[in-house]
Amino acid sequence: MKRLNFWLVSLGALAWSHHAFAQLTLPTVSFGYKSVNNPQEFVTNIKILLGLTVLTLAPAILIMMTSFTRVVIVLSFVRQALGMQNMPPNQLIIGLALFITFFIMAPFIQRINTNAVQPYLSDQISQDEAVTRALTPIREFMFNQTRDADLALFVNLSKMARPKTRADVPTQVLMPAFIISELKTAFEIGFIIYLPFLVIDMIVASVLMAMGMMMLPPVIISLPFKIMLFVLVDGWALIVGSLVKSFGY
């Protein structure tokens, strides 16, 4: 009887679980082709596909074609000059660089939205014209920050004819020239940032050596003085203000 009861209970539980599983509704995804009677539906799908493509390329566009490169390098130089490897943390440095980049690029983003994105979404211009209008403010920004020597370098490397105007310079030539110029400018600013902290390190090292404390690392003593100096001169405001002004603000 015990075995019979056990088997009956087991079969009942199995039947109940099968019934419950049969009643479970799961979402499904299907791929295929269908006829579209409304052309607007096709255009909407193309716009969604283009939007996803832009989102995929967004990190590269943000890093290579905006002020993000210079800002994040300078902020990293500040941390290294202070002698703190992980303070502020990387997440905070990158987040601050992003918000400063959005602030600097806000006028250009507004122009792109007004002249390219909104007319394209309202079907006033074609896709090619929208791309051309969107590139115009970005190219203007990159030209303003690119040195002539760096631009001439990549024009010569590309073996193209010497451009007469800015419009004749291809974007694929302008982008690496802009990045090289940004790196050079960021390292120049980083060198200036390092100088006062280097003086503090040299003074502390000389005092410790004169006192015979050669076994004590100078960084341990100089770090509080560098932090105090940075706070007293309102270092973050000076650094961020100088960064924004270096882009012509």
Side-chain angles (χ1 to χ4, degrees), residues 193-206 222 226 229:
I193 292 174
Y194 254 95
L195 287 179
F197 300 112
L198 180 61
V199 172
I200 294 177
D201 287 332
M202 293 176 61
I203 294 175
V204 171
S206 300
S222 63
K226 289 190 288 186
L229 174 65

Side-chain angles (χ1 to χ4, degrees), residues 36-104:
V36 178
N37 297 324
N38 185 10
Q40 185 64 32
E41 183 178 352
F42 177 76
V43 173
T44 303
N45 293 334
I46 294 297
K47 290 180 179 180
I48 294 175
L49 180 61
L50 291 176
L52 293 176
T53 303
V54 171
L55 290 177
T56 303
L57 299 176
I61 295 174
L62 177 64
I63 294 175
M64 300 302 177
M65 301 178 67
T66 64
S67 59
F68 180 81
T69 300
R70 184 190 306 184
V71 174
V72 75
I73 290 177
V74 171
L75 294 180
S76 299
F77 268 121
V78 172
R79 183 174 63 180
Q80 293 292 332
L82 286 171
M84 299 182 295
Q85 300 298 324
N86 298 314
M87 189 60 64
N90 291 330
Q91 294 85 348
L92 182 57
I93 292 292
I94 295 176
L96 179 59
L98 283 174
F99 281 107
I100 295 175
T101 300
F102 292 148
F103 176 81
I104 295 173

Side-chain angles (χ1 to χ4, degrees), residues 129-147:
E129 187 177 355
V131 173
T132 302
R133 290 189 181 185
L135 281 177
T136 300
I138 297 297
R139 284 172 56 88
E140 179 183 341
F141 171 78
M142 290 193 292
F143 271 118
N144 293 336
Q145 307 302 325
T146 303
R147 292 179 172 85

Side-chain angles (χ1 to χ4, degrees), residues 112-126 130 133:
I112 292 173
N113 181 63
T114 303
N115 299 331
V117 177
Q118 295 302 326
Y120 175 70
L121 294 178
S122 58
D123 297 326
Q124 297 178 4
I125 59 176
S126 63
R133 290 189 181 185

Side-chain angles (χ1 to χ4, degrees), residues 7 25 39 85 87 106 112 160 177 180 209 213 222 224 226 228:
W7 284 111
T25 302
Q85 300 298 324
M87 189 60 64
I112 292 173
M160 60 176 291
I180 295 298
M209 187 175 295
M213 298 181 179
S222 63
K226 289 190 288 186
M228 181 179 64

